Amino acid sequence: MANQDAVQLDIKDSIATVLLNRPKALNAFNHEVLLGLQKQAQAIKENPEVRVVIMTGAGDKAFSAGLDLKMVASGSGPMDIFPSYRQGYDSLYSLKMIFTMYEDLAVPVIAAINGYCLGAAFELILCCDIRLACDTAVFGLPEIQLGVIPDLGSTQRLPRIVGPGIAKELIITGRRIDAAEALRVRLVDHVYPRAQLIIEAKKLAEEIARINAHLTQGAKRAVNIAASTPLDVGLRMETDICLSSGSGATMGEAAQGFVKKE
């Protein structure tokens, strides 16, 4: 029987929490998880009350161990969630677009990585805007050791985050790194003790949620553009986004508040 709760969504005080919920399987990605990720991303997109997202895994061992190898060994691949699609390019590209949905959300997405983060899960967190990890987290892209090249976006996103050298090393060797190394190479932005991770993720989410939503969403769009456009185009886009987000109008109010404090 399909697990309809494989990915849970909880929305409270404009903060959405996406929970990978297969703890007995280390939150591995089976069909239900992939479809659940798609469903919850769409739900967040359609809910204007959401201002920020936290993504994490159930249990105390893993954010996610990546693709469910038991599912693959049984002869059922992840692309089977698109039974009517052409096998090959169409189905694979549509699969990776599920991850891209989180990258494309208007609101910031915080990954709270609470343990193992391997393979497809590693590729998913690359679509998040801010990555927090517990001090026992482990990261790796083992695909090449299984006879395939990572194909859910890491060959394109990882070099933009850690640089091409480290990205090639992680992808080509398939080796694992711990949280301290992930922080050193800037794969993650902060590392916390396990018990503190969700507390810090919620504090950051609450801080973001208090800011004018037009500004946080405009800022996210502007920074995302920087990764794929020349500087001159990015500067012009930044100008357009700044004007369309109404930041000029709110700046005067903010300045008055700072002046009054002084």
Side-chain angles (χ1 to χ4, degrees):
M1 185 166 147
N3 179 8
Q4 300 299 320
D5 297 319
V7 181
Q8 295 182 349
L9 175 63
D10 177 68
I11 300 174
K12 184 178 180 182
D13 298 330
S14 71
I15 298 172
T17 301
V18 176
L19 180 70
L20 305 174
N21 190 37
R22 297 185 69 217
K24 291 183 179 179
L26 298 181
N27 302 317
F29 291 4
N30 62 1
H31 294 164
E32 287 75 24
V33 170
L34 293 167
L35 290 171
L37 283 169
Q38 182 182 52
K39 174 185 175 181
Q40 307 305 5
Q42 187 65 30
I44 293 166
K45 181 178 180 179
E46 295 174 0
N47 188 334
E49 300 302 316
V50 174
R51 292 193 170 197
V52 61
V53 178
I54 297 172
M55 179 182 292
T56 194
D60 58 2
K61 293 182 179 180
F63 174 80
S64 170
L67 198 62
D68 190 331
L69 295 182
K70 290 183 179 179
M71 174 187 70
V72 177
S74 71
S76 179
M79 293 182 289
D80 290 346
I81 64 173
F82 303 112
S84 63
Y85 288 22
R86 297 179 185 88
Q87 287 299 306
Y89 184 92
D90 286 353
S91 54
L92 178 55
Y93 190 77
S94 297
L95 183 63
K96 69 180 67 185
M97 286 300 100
I98 294 176
F99 290 11
T100 301
M101 290 176 75
Y102 288 90
E103 186 174 53
D104 287 347
L105 284 174
V107 299
V109 180
I110 301 166
I113 304 154
N114 56 313
Y116 288 106
C117 183
L118 306 174
F122 188 123
E123 298 187 279
L124 176 61
I125 66 162
L126 299 179
C127 297
C128 299
D129 301 292
I130 303 169
R131 288 169 291 278
L132 315 180
C134 70
D135 53 6
T136 57
V138 176
F139 301 84
L141 289 165
E143 284 87 344
I144 207 160
Q145 298 176 354
L146 298 171
V148 296
I149 294 171
D151 55 13
L152 294 177
S154 59
T155 66
Q156 303 304 303
R157 293 188 175 99
L158 188 58
R160 289 171 165 84
I161 295 171
V162 302
I166 295 295
K168 289 175 183 176
E169 180 180 349
L170 293 175
I171 291 169
I172 292 171
T173 66
R175 73 178 180 85
R176 298 181 179 185
I177 60 173
D178 61 18
E181 179 70 0
L183 180 63
R184 189 188 71 80
V185 300
R186 305 309 302 170
L187 172 61
V188 300
D189 303 297
H190 300 281
V191 172
Y192 300 105
R194 181 188 294 277
Q196 194 71 15
L197 176 64
I198 292 299
I199 294 171
E200 295 297 334
K202 289 181 178 178
K203 283 170 58 178
L204 178 57
E206 289 166 357
E207 180 181 357
I208 293 171
R210 288 193 294 268
I211 300 169
N212 183 303
H214 293 295
L215 301 182
T216 57
Q217 293 171 29
K220 173 176 174 172
R221 287 199 305 275
V223 175
N224 280 358
I225 286 169
S228 58
T229 59
L231 178 60
D232 59 333
V233 176
L235 291 173
R236 292 182 184 278
M237 291 298 297
E238 179 187 72
T239 303
D240 289 340
I241 292 170
C242 180
L243 294 173
S244 65
S245 68
S247 59
T250 58
M251 185 176 180
E253 298 174 6
Q256 290 175 11
F258 278 111
V259 169
K260 288 179 181 179
K261 289 180 182 179
E262 293 179 356

